[in-house]
Amino acid sequence: YAMLRQMERATRKSISPLERHETDLHPWVGFLIMPVFALANAGVPVEMADLLNPVALATASGLFVGKPVGILLFSWLAVQLKITRLPEGVNWGAILGGGFLAGIGFTMALFISSLALSGDILDAAKVGVMAGSALSAIVGVTLLIVSLPQPSSSGE
């Protein structure tokens, strides 16, 4: 472990400051700045009344309920039919958490909504996509944190 730390320090010294800065900023850009930019440019007028629109509720339910149920059901079926087995260290809670994370996919849901709908109904669907994606992200990450084994602090 100590040797790896020494190698890491030596590698840091051999990388240019610009490259190190780019590497340090990558998670912020990938997980915060780009999604905010994408949502800001999606042209989604957010009104609280749209959250109660049946189209918004159906869209959010499809992402928040349909994706995890489908993934959990077909994963369970594959295990029961002995097509596959759960990987070591992965339990059904982690599969469910991954299923919820699949509900984050708002880009394709916004695209399909824009092909199928227009006007106020499209706006409601967009709000439903954002709400379903946000709920899916929160629940999915929480389930993974709770379900997956925590890495040991000894660095092994």
Side-chain angles (χ1 to χ4, degrees):
Y1 183 71
M3 182 188 273
L4 286 175
R5 284 289 180 208
Q6 289 175 339
M7 289 172 52
E8 180 183 16
R9 282 189 219 104
T11 304
R12 279 201 169 277
K13 291 178 184 175
S14 68
I15 296 174
S16 72
L18 177 62
E19 192 173 350
R20 185 170 48 250
H21 187 63
E22 181 182 335
T23 302
D24 291 343
L25 286 177
H26 179 72
W28 290 99
V29 171
F31 296 113
L32 180 67
I33 296 168
M34 286 298 289
V36 168
F37 180 77
L39 286 175
N41 288 304
V44 182
V46 177
E47 295 180 21
M48 294 307 286
D50 283 337
L51 287 173
L52 299 177
N53 185 305
V55 173
L57 291 172
T59 307
S61 297
L63 293 171
F64 184 69
V65 176
K67 292 268 189 152
V69 166
I71 289 171
L72 186 66
L73 177 67
F74 281 99
S75 297
W76 177 83
L77 190 60
V79 169
Q80 294 303 309
L81 294 174
K82 304 214 185 297
I83 295 171
T84 190
R85 60 182 174 81
L86 290 180
E88 186 177 326
V90 175
N91 57 30
W92 288 107
I95 299 292
L96 183 60
F100 274 105
L101 291 181
I104 297 175
F106 61 88
T107 307
M108 189 55 67
L110 288 175
F111 174 68
I112 291 170
S113 296
S114 69
L115 291 176
L117 307 169
S118 63
D120 292 340
I121 295 175
L122 174 59
D123 292 342
K126 288 179 177 181
V127 170
V129 167
M130 290 192 321
S133 294
L135 286 171
S136 294
I138 293 166
V139 172
V141 167
T142 302
L143 279 171
L144 289 180
I145 289 170
V146 169
S147 299
L148 292 176
Q150 300 299 314
S152 64
S153 60
S154 64
E156 295 175 7

